[in-house]
Short mmCIF file of all heavy atoms in Angstrom, two decimals:
data_model
loop_
_atom_site.label_atom_id
_atom_site.label_comp_id
_atom_site.label_asym_id
_atom_site.label_seq_id
_atom_site.Cartn_x
_atom_site.Cartn_y
_atom_site.Cartn_z
N GLU G 291 32.69 38.42 23.28
CA GLU G 291 31.62 38.65 24.25
C GLU G 291 30.83 39.90 23.87
O GLU G 291 31.45 40.92 23.54
CB GLU G 291 32.24 38.91 25.63
CG GLU G 291 31.69 38.01 26.70
CD GLU G 291 32.45 38.22 28.01
OE1 GLU G 291 33.58 37.68 28.13
OE2 GLU G 291 31.92 38.96 28.84
N MET G 292 29.52 39.83 23.87
CA MET G 292 28.71 41.02 23.52
C MET G 292 27.31 40.87 24.13
O MET G 292 26.78 39.76 24.21
CB MET G 292 28.60 41.12 22.00
CG MET G 292 27.90 42.36 21.50
SD MET G 292 27.93 42.43 19.68
CE MET G 292 26.27 41.88 19.33
N THR G 293 26.72 42.00 24.50
CA THR G 293 25.33 41.97 24.99
C THR G 293 24.45 42.55 23.90
O THR G 293 24.83 43.53 23.25
CB THR G 293 25.20 42.85 26.27
OG1 THR G 293 26.20 42.43 27.18
CG2 THR G 293 23.84 42.71 26.90
N LEU G 294 23.31 41.92 23.70
CA LEU G 294 22.37 42.46 22.71
C LEU G 294 20.98 42.49 23.34
O LEU G 294 20.51 41.46 23.86
CB LEU G 294 22.37 41.56 21.46
CG LEU G 294 21.58 42.04 20.25
CD1 LEU G 294 22.18 43.32 19.65
CD2 LEU G 294 21.52 40.96 19.17
N THR G 295 20.35 43.65 23.34
CA THR G 295 19.01 43.73 23.92
C THR G 295 17.99 43.58 22.80
O THR G 295 18.29 43.77 21.62
CB THR G 295 18.77 45.08 24.62
OG1 THR G 295 18.77 46.10 23.62
CG2 THR G 295 19.81 45.37 25.67
N ARG G 296 16.75 43.28 23.20
CA ARG G 296 15.70 43.12 22.19
C ARG G 296 15.45 44.45 21.47
O ARG G 296 15.24 44.47 20.26
CB ARG G 296 14.41 42.61 22.84
CG ARG G 296 13.42 42.21 21.77
CD ARG G 296 12.08 41.87 22.33
NE ARG G 296 12.09 40.57 22.98
CZ ARG G 296 11.07 40.13 23.73
NH1 ARG G 296 10.01 40.87 23.91
NH2 ARG G 296 11.12 38.94 24.28
N ASP G 297 15.54 45.55 22.22
CA ASP G 297 15.34 46.86 21.58
C ASP G 297 16.40 47.12 20.52
O ASP G 297 16.09 47.60 19.43
CB ASP G 297 15.39 47.99 22.61
CG ASP G 297 14.08 48.06 23.39
OD1 ASP G 297 13.11 47.42 22.93
OD2 ASP G 297 14.06 48.73 24.44
N GLU G 298 17.66 46.80 20.86
CA GLU G 298 18.74 46.99 19.88
C GLU G 298 18.50 46.13 18.64
O GLU G 298 18.68 46.57 17.50
CB GLU G 298 20.11 46.62 20.49
CG GLU G 298 20.63 47.66 21.44
CD GLU G 298 21.82 47.14 22.27
OE1 GLU G 298 22.02 45.90 22.35
OE2 GLU G 298 22.52 47.97 22.84
N PHE G 299 18.09 44.90 18.91
CA PHE G 299 17.83 43.97 17.80
C PHE G 299 16.69 44.52 16.92
O PHE G 299 16.79 44.55 15.69
CB PHE G 299 17.48 42.59 18.35
CG PHE G 299 17.02 41.61 17.31
CD1 PHE G 299 17.91 41.07 16.38
CD2 PHE G 299 15.68 41.23 17.22
CE1 PHE G 299 17.49 40.19 15.41
CE2 PHE G 299 15.26 40.35 16.25
CZ PHE G 299 16.16 39.82 15.35
N ASN G 300 15.64 44.99 17.58
CA ASN G 300 14.49 45.52 16.81
C ASN G 300 14.90 46.70 15.94
O ASN G 300 14.43 46.83 14.81
CB ASN G 300 13.36 45.93 17.76
CG ASN G 300 12.68 44.72 18.38
OD1 ASN G 300 12.94 43.58 17.94
ND2 ASN G 300 11.85 44.93 19.38
N GLN G 301 15.77 47.53 16.48
CA GLN G 301 16.24 48.68 15.69
C GLN G 301 17.07 48.22 14.49
O GLN G 301 16.92 48.72 13.38
CB GLN G 301 17.12 49.57 16.54
CG GLN G 301 16.33 50.66 17.24
CD GLN G 301 17.22 51.41 18.20
OE1 GLN G 301 18.43 51.49 18.02
NE2 GLN G 301 16.61 51.95 19.24
N LEU G 302 17.90 47.21 14.77
CA LEU G 302 18.78 46.67 13.74
C LEU G 302 17.98 46.13 12.55
O LEU G 302 18.34 46.31 11.39
CB LEU G 302 19.59 45.53 14.38
CG LEU G 302 20.92 45.09 13.83
CD1 LEU G 302 21.90 46.25 13.87
CD2 LEU G 302 21.47 43.93 14.69
N VAL G 303 16.86 45.46 12.87
CA VAL G 303 16.12 44.76 11.82
C VAL G 303 14.95 45.60 11.27
O VAL G 303 14.19 45.11 10.44
CB VAL G 303 15.60 43.38 12.31
CG1 VAL G 303 16.77 42.52 12.78
CG2 VAL G 303 14.56 43.53 13.41
N GLU G 304 14.86 46.85 11.71
CA GLU G 304 13.76 47.72 11.29
C GLU G 304 13.59 47.76 9.75
O GLU G 304 12.46 47.60 9.26
CB GLU G 304 14.00 49.13 11.87
CG GLU G 304 12.98 50.18 11.51
CD GLU G 304 11.64 49.99 12.22
OE1 GLU G 304 11.60 49.29 13.25
OE2 GLU G 304 10.65 50.56 11.72
N PRO G 305 14.68 47.92 8.97
CA PRO G 305 14.49 47.98 7.51
C PRO G 305 13.87 46.70 6.94
O PRO G 305 13.05 46.76 6.03
CB PRO G 305 15.91 48.18 6.96
CG PRO G 305 16.72 48.67 8.11
CD PRO G 305 16.09 48.13 9.34
N LEU G 306 14.26 45.56 7.50
CA LEU G 306 13.70 44.29 7.00
C LEU G 306 12.22 44.21 7.35
O LEU G 306 11.38 43.82 6.52
CB LEU G 306 14.43 43.09 7.60
CG LEU G 306 15.92 42.95 7.33
CD1 LEU G 306 16.49 41.70 7.98
CD2 LEU G 306 16.17 42.88 5.82
N MET G 307 11.90 44.62 8.59
CA MET G 307 10.49 44.58 9.01
C MET G 307 9.65 45.53 8.17
O MET G 307 8.54 45.19 7.76
CB MET G 307 10.37 44.97 10.50
CG MET G 307 10.77 43.89 11.47
SD MET G 307 10.03 42.30 11.13
CE MET G 307 8.30 42.69 11.07
N GLU G 308 10.22 46.70 7.89
CA GLU G 308 9.48 47.69 7.09
C GLU G 308 9.15 47.14 5.71
O GLU G 308 8.08 47.37 5.17
CB GLU G 308 10.28 48.99 6.96
CG GLU G 308 10.13 49.90 8.15
CD GLU G 308 8.66 50.09 8.57
OE1 GLU G 308 7.85 50.48 7.72
OE2 GLU G 308 8.34 49.82 9.75
N GLU G 309 10.13 46.39 5.16
CA GLU G 309 9.88 45.83 3.82
C GLU G 309 8.68 44.89 3.86
O GLU G 309 7.83 44.91 2.96
CB GLU G 309 11.12 45.09 3.31
CG GLU G 309 10.86 44.56 1.93
CD GLU G 309 12.04 43.94 1.22
OE1 GLU G 309 13.19 44.11 1.64
OE2 GLU G 309 11.77 43.28 0.19
N THR G 310 8.58 44.10 4.92
CA THR G 310 7.45 43.16 4.98
C THR G 310 6.13 43.92 5.18
O THR G 310 5.11 43.52 4.65
CB THR G 310 7.63 42.09 6.10
OG1 THR G 310 7.46 42.71 7.38
CG2 THR G 310 8.95 41.39 6.03
N ILE G 311 6.19 45.02 5.92
CA ILE G 311 4.96 45.78 6.16
C ILE G 311 4.51 46.49 4.87
O ILE G 311 3.32 46.54 4.55
CB ILE G 311 5.14 46.78 7.33
CG1 ILE G 311 5.54 46.03 8.61
CG2 ILE G 311 3.88 47.62 7.56
CD1 ILE G 311 4.65 44.89 9.03
N ASP G 312 5.48 47.00 4.11
CA ASP G 312 5.13 47.60 2.81
C ASP G 312 4.41 46.58 1.93
O ASP G 312 3.47 46.92 1.22
CB ASP G 312 6.41 48.04 2.05
CG ASP G 312 6.99 49.30 2.65
OD1 ASP G 312 6.31 49.91 3.49
OD2 ASP G 312 8.13 49.66 2.28
N LYS G 313 4.86 45.34 2.01
CA LYS G 313 4.24 44.29 1.19
C LYS G 313 2.81 44.01 1.67
O LYS G 313 1.94 43.65 0.88
CB LYS G 313 5.05 42.99 1.26
CG LYS G 313 6.46 43.14 0.73
CD LYS G 313 6.55 42.79 -0.73
CE LYS G 313 7.95 42.96 -1.25
NZ LYS G 313 8.04 43.13 -2.67
N ILE G 314 2.57 44.18 2.97
CA ILE G 314 1.21 44.01 3.49
C ILE G 314 0.29 45.02 2.82
O ILE G 314 -0.78 44.69 2.32
CB ILE G 314 1.16 44.20 5.03
CG1 ILE G 314 1.79 43.00 5.73
CG2 ILE G 314 -0.28 44.42 5.51
CD1 ILE G 314 1.63 43.00 7.23
N TYR G 315 0.73 46.29 2.81
CA TYR G 315 -0.11 47.34 2.20
C TYR G 315 -0.30 47.08 0.71
O TYR G 315 -1.38 47.27 0.17
CB TYR G 315 0.50 48.73 2.45
CG TYR G 315 0.46 49.11 3.91
CD1 TYR G 315 1.61 49.50 4.59
CD2 TYR G 315 -0.74 49.04 4.63
CE1 TYR G 315 1.57 49.83 5.94
CE2 TYR G 315 -0.78 49.36 5.97
CZ TYR G 315 0.37 49.75 6.63
OH TYR G 315 0.32 50.05 7.95
N ASN G 316 0.77 46.60 0.08
CA ASN G 316 0.67 46.34 -1.35
C ASN G 316 -0.30 45.21 -1.66
O ASN G 316 -1.09 45.30 -2.60
CB ASN G 316 2.06 46.02 -1.92
CG ASN G 316 2.06 46.08 -3.42
OD1 ASN G 316 1.49 46.99 -4.00
ND2 ASN G 316 2.63 45.09 -4.06
N VAL G 317 -0.26 44.16 -0.85
CA VAL G 317 -1.13 43.02 -1.14
C VAL G 317 -2.60 43.41 -0.90
O VAL G 317 -3.50 42.96 -1.62
CB VAL G 317 -0.67 41.76 -0.36
CG1 VAL G 317 -1.18 41.74 1.05
CG2 VAL G 317 -1.06 40.50 -1.10
N LEU G 318 -2.83 44.29 0.08
CA LEU G 318 -4.20 44.77 0.32
C LEU G 318 -4.68 45.55 -0.91
O LEU G 318 -5.81 45.40 -1.37
CB LEU G 318 -4.24 45.68 1.55
CG LEU G 318 -4.25 44.98 2.91
CD1 LEU G 318 -4.02 45.99 4.03
CD2 LEU G 318 -5.55 44.23 3.14
N LYS G 319 -3.76 46.37 -1.44
CA LYS G 319 -4.09 47.16 -2.62
C LYS G 319 -4.40 46.25 -3.81
O LYS G 319 -5.40 46.44 -4.52
CB LYS G 319 -2.91 48.10 -2.95
CG LYS G 319 -3.33 49.32 -3.73
CD LYS G 319 -2.22 50.34 -3.74
CE LYS G 319 -1.57 50.29 -5.10
NZ LYS G 319 -0.28 50.91 -5.18
N LEU G 320 -3.54 45.25 -3.98
CA LEU G 320 -3.74 44.32 -5.10
C LEU G 320 -5.10 43.62 -5.02
O LEU G 320 -5.75 43.36 -6.03
CB LEU G 320 -2.64 43.24 -5.13
CG LEU G 320 -1.26 43.66 -5.61
CD1 LEU G 320 -0.27 42.53 -5.41
CD2 LEU G 320 -1.30 44.05 -7.09
N ALA G 321 -5.50 43.29 -3.78
CA ALA G 321 -6.77 42.58 -3.60
C ALA G 321 -7.95 43.54 -3.52
O ALA G 321 -9.09 43.10 -3.41
CB ALA G 321 -6.71 41.73 -2.33
#
Side-chain angles (χ1 to χ4, degrees):
E291 234 174 282
M292 185 176 101
T293 308
L294 187 66
T295 67
R296 191 188 285 170
D297 282 347
E298 285 167 342
F299 172 72
N300 289 349
Q301 269 173 27
L302 204 61
V303 302
E304 178 73 19
L306 299 180
M307 283 311 306
E308 277 312 306
E309 182 173 346
T310 72
I311 302 307
D312 285 350
K313 299 267 179 202
I314 287 188
Y315 293 126
N316 194 43
V317 82
L318 281 169
K319 204 167 104 196
L320 285 173

